[in-house]
Amino acid sequence: MPELPEVEAARRAIEEHCLGKKIVKSIIADDSKVIDGVSASDFEASLLGKTLVSAHRKGKNLWLRLDSPPYPSFQFGMAGAIYIKGVAVTNYKRSAVNDTDEWPSKYSKFFVELDDGLELSFTDKRRFAKVRLLKDPASVPPISELGPDALLEPMTVDEFTKLLNKKKLAIKALLLDQSFISGIGNWIADEVLYQARIHPLQTSASLSKESCTTLLKCIKEVIEKAIEVGADSSQFPNNWIFHSREKKPGKALVDGKKIDFITAGGRTTAYVPELQKLDGVQAAKAVGKPKKQTSKRKGSKDDNEDHGTDEPESDREENPENVKTKKGGKSGGRGKIPSKRRKSEETDDEDGDDDGNGDEDEVLKTRSRNLIKNKQGEAVKTSKEKGISQKRKNSKTKGK
């Protein structure tokens, strides 16, 4: 997914090719999930005749300054991407639009034509991005809530160490927290921890000043190298763990060493156990514990959003027909699953923690209550029928 280097590559492409040019045409998608807080028609009207003055970025967010507000702002999500027709920007698997595809792409959410004929488009295949029209993007969420930019606002070693020493979170989770430091997503976090030889689950507060110094250095080097090659992952150094992050467990290697996959910070995490070891008290506690490893499911790829949960970790959808009763039978057609459960299945699973047992128990309780009511009703009915029958017998006896 797009992280700081990919968004910075897009910003630089816009800066190089689009500034000083006037917008003569605009097409905004009628997609309220992505186009946030404004109608497509109002968005289009606000852009026409405006001149692009500058392009800005903080973390994984980009915004364009025009000659007058409001300004378009882009939160890239899992697959957001900037394309400029005829200009190579950057590609990543989830966003790539082929040269042979229609233009603008059917995934385009924001399209403008400039007065020299150049065309720019923001696409989003997965629809996790947000495109907004704001008077001052940097002064409102999500940008106003971001921590220092990992590239533009580097911390000193002392500042970084002091902040880490106050946090009891696992270091991977902390790096993904955009309010702590912005721009680092899943692949960068895995890379810098591997390069720094730090275990993803090591508690931040337990890191030595030497480890903090090394980690800060690796953050700078990894981000700068990725930007240097235009965020083109095929040009990333061969000794980066990046190239093996999506290989199957057992087949994933870096420099001949085995890569394992665990869950850290709610995300699938690649690390090298031989080089990234838990330290101190955590190392002692880890001894003798059974090893847990995250299997990489098909369709469970990484990404976020901007608060440490950049992407749904599970694409699993429970089938209501598979809910079993306590007696072992399937629910079959004996009743509908409560709407609360159906709703949870229809939404995007952000953390994959809900196993559905609460709703299943509620189904069983409801059925049990209904069964009791039915039995009580049958008992009352039987009693009434017996009473009526007895009255008829008594009436016949009197008649004789």
Side-chain angles (χ1 to χ4, degrees):
M1 67 162 289
E3 300 184 20
L4 190 157
E6 290 84 358
V7 181
E8 177 63 14
R11 189 200 69 79
R12 293 186 181 190
I14 293 171
E15 187 173 66
E16 181 179 353
H17 298 279
C18 302
L19 299 191
K21 299 175 183 180
K22 184 179 291 187
I23 298 171
V24 296
K25 181 180 179 181
S26 65
I27 302 174
I28 305 299
D30 186 15
D31 184 352
S32 60
K33 183 178 179 182
V34 177
I35 307 301
D36 188 23
V38 61
S39 70
S41 58
D42 287 347
F43 205 143
E44 290 171 353
S46 73
L47 297 174
L48 288 176
K50 299 286 184 68
T51 299
L52 286 168
V53 175
S54 56
H56 303 266
R57 180 197 57 77
K58 184 165 185 178
K60 295 178 275 185
N61 293 263
L62 170 74
W63 67 100
L64 305 179
R65 188 172 184 84
L66 309 177
D67 53 3
S68 65
Y71 310 126
S73 171
F74 307 87
Q75 189 175 357
F76 279 55
M78 293 173 64
I82 289 287
Y83 288 93
I84 301 173
K85 192 172 184 180
V87 175
V89 181
T90 184
N91 289 329
Y92 31 96
K93 285 184 292 185
R94 291 184 181 176
S95 67
V97 173
N98 298 321
D99 292 336
T100 56
D101 291 348
E102 63 181 305
W103 178 266
S105 165
K106 63 181 178 180
Y107 302 110
S108 177
K109 306 302 176 182
F110 171 100
F111 169 86
V112 293
E113 180 183 339
L114 305 178
D115 56 5
D116 67 345
L118 199 65
E119 296 175 343
L120 179 148
S121 173
F122 177 84
T123 68
D124 181 24
K125 284 186 176 182
R126 299 291 298 274
R127 300 178 68 226
F128 283 98
K130 294 292 181 185
V131 180
R132 302 178 176 94
L133 189 65
L134 304 170
K135 185 176 180 180
D136 183 7
S139 68
V140 295
I143 298 172
S144 64
E145 297 176 342
L146 297 175
D149 185 86
L151 174 69
L152 303 176
E153 304 167 288
M155 300 183 212
T156 65
V157 170
D158 288 341
E159 288 171 340
F160 190 60
T161 303
K162 186 176 180 180
L163 286 174
L164 288 184
N165 288 342
K166 291 180 180 179
K167 304 291 184 179
K168 294 183 179 180
L169 283 175
I171 185 60
K172 168 73 181 278
L174 186 60
L175 291 177
L176 292 177
D177 181 355
Q178 300 300 297
S179 67
F180 173 71
I181 185 170
S182 60
I184 296 177
N186 206 33
W187 81 255
I188 292 179
D190 281 1
E191 194 61 57
V192 299
L193 290 173
Y194 167 66
Q195 298 294 337
R197 304 300 192 250
I198 296 172
H199 194 290
L201 296 178
Q202 188 71 45
T203 304
S204 303
S206 68
L207 291 172
S208 65
K209 185 169 184 178
E210 181 183 0
S211 293
C212 293
T213 302
T214 303
L215 179 57
L216 189 61
K217 177 174 175 284
C218 290
I219 291 172
K220 179 177 184 294
E221 290 178 349
V222 167
I223 289 175
E224 287 184 348
K225 182 60 181 178
I227 291 172
E228 179 187 322
V229 297
D232 181 351
S233 60
S234 68
Q235 296 185 53
F236 290 173
N238 291 331
N239 65 344
W240 279 17
I241 200 173
F242 176 91
H243 299 290
S244 299
R245 291 181 72 252
E246 294 188 357
K247 292 182 180 178
K248 293 181 179 179
K251 294 183 178 180
L253 302 171
V254 56
D255 283 347
K257 300 188 186 309
K258 180 184 176 184
I259 297 172
D260 270 357
F261 299 93
I262 58 173
T263 298
R267 306 301 307 285
T268 299
T269 299
Y271 82 113
V272 178
E274 186 179 338
L275 301 176
Q276 297 170 259
K277 299 179 184 295
L278 287 169
D279 195 17
V281 176
Q282 285 179 273
K285 287 182 178 179
V287 174
K289 282 190 176 182
K291 183 178 178 182
K292 293 182 180 180
Q293 181 167 310
T294 300
S295 62
K296 301 200 79 177
R297 300 181 301 274
K298 183 178 180 181
S300 178
K301 305 248 181 183
D302 291 317
D303 265 359
N304 168 34
E305 267 313 315
D306 286 329
H307 300 284
T309 53
D310 287 346
E311 103 182 62
E313 270 302 299
S314 171
D315 292 327
R316 171 182 58 84
E317 292 184 5
E318 293 177 0
N319 184 348
E321 293 181 359
N322 290 335
V323 178
K324 294 184 178 181
T325 65
K326 289 182 180 179
K327 292 182 180 180
K330 292 188 178 181
S331 63
R334 294 183 59 189
K336 294 182 178 179
I337 301 299
S339 61
K340 178 181 176 183
R341 180 166 184 180
R342 292 200 306 273
K343 184 177 180 180
S344 70
E345 290 170 355
E346 291 165 359
T347 57
D348 298 306
D349 180 11
E350 289 296 335
D351 52 24
D353 290 333
D354 184 7
D355 59 8
N357 289 336
D359 289 318
E360 183 175 340
D361 290 342
E362 192 61 37
V363 171
L364 295 174
K365 288 177 184 177
T366 301
R367 287 177 181 164
S368 178
R369 287 195 294 268
N370 290 340
L371 184 60
I372 291 171
K373 287 181 182 179
N374 289 339
K375 287 183 177 180
Q376 289 175 340
E378 289 174 1
V380 171
K381 183 178 179 181
T382 301
S383 177
K384 287 181 178 180
E385 289 175 348
K386 285 182 178 180
I388 292 171
S389 177
Q390 185 62 43
K391 284 181 181 180
R392 286 176 179 170
K393 287 182 180 179
N394 292 340
S395 177
K396 288 180 181 180
T397 302
K398 289 178 182 180
K400 289 180 180 179

